[in-house]
Amino acid sequence: QVQLVESGGGLVQAGGSLRLSCAASGRSFNSYAMCWFRQAPGKERELVAAINWNGGATLYADSVKGRFTISKSNARKTQYLQMNSLKPEDTAVYYCAARSGAIRTTQREYDYWGQGTQVTVSS
């Protein structure tokens, strides 16, 4: 069993930066693929970025490529999402998720979820 707790959300002006963290508890974190999804009001939850168990492979949504960076520290059992050049359309609740095995792109394939953290970007 894995528990995930996100932090780092908040209110920022367009063009600003935030770093989200997702702290994990439980065993076998080192073997888990991790990711961030987000859900804006009235929209479906979408994959933002994903990283494999050792950080050797990453995947990004086209809308965040070049602006967001996902990373993972197995020693700290924490994954991060560095978000730069934020835009109002990045406003959403951001969720951390994990699964054992390879990266997947759909939410139903992730077994463990955090409670979400709100990111609001003002124009």
Side-chain angles (χ1 to χ4, degrees):
Q1 189 75 7
V2 175
Q3 291 80 42
L4 303 173
V5 179
E6 301 101 332
S7 61
L11 174 64
V12 64
Q13 289 188 333
S17 298
L18 282 175
R19 188 175 83 154
L20 304 183
S21 299
C22 174
S25 61
R27 302 186 299 175
S28 304
F29 176 83
N30 292 3
S31 65
Y32 280 76
M34 306 288 293
C35 70
W36 293 91
F37 280 81
R38 67 185 180 187
Q39 187 166 20
K43 295 187 176 181
E44 293 187 354
R45 194 171 295 188
E46 62 173 356
L47 179 68
V48 176
I51 189 166
N52 76 331
W53 69 277
N54 67 353
T58 57
L59 179 154
Y60 294 94
D62 288 343
S63 59
V64 306
K65 281 181 182 176
R67 300 188 297 122
F68 290 12
T69 302
I70 189 171
S71 61
K72 182 176 186 266
S73 169
N74 286 337
R76 297 181 178 179
K77 292 189 176 181
T78 304
Q79 73 152 340
Y80 305 95
L81 185 67
Q82 178 66 43
M83 304 186 294
N84 299 328
S85 302
L86 282 161
K87 304 175 181 180
E89 50 264 44
D90 294 318
T91 295
V93 177
Y94 283 71
Y95 297 92
C96 168
R99 70 182 305 275
S100 179
I103 291 174
R104 293 290 185 266
T105 59
T106 60
Q107 55 178 316
R108 65 180 175 83
E109 295 178 287
Y110 284 84
D111 301 309
Y112 306 104
W113 290 83
Q115 81 288 352
T117 185
Q118 176 70 46
V119 172
T120 303
V121 185
S122 63
S123 56

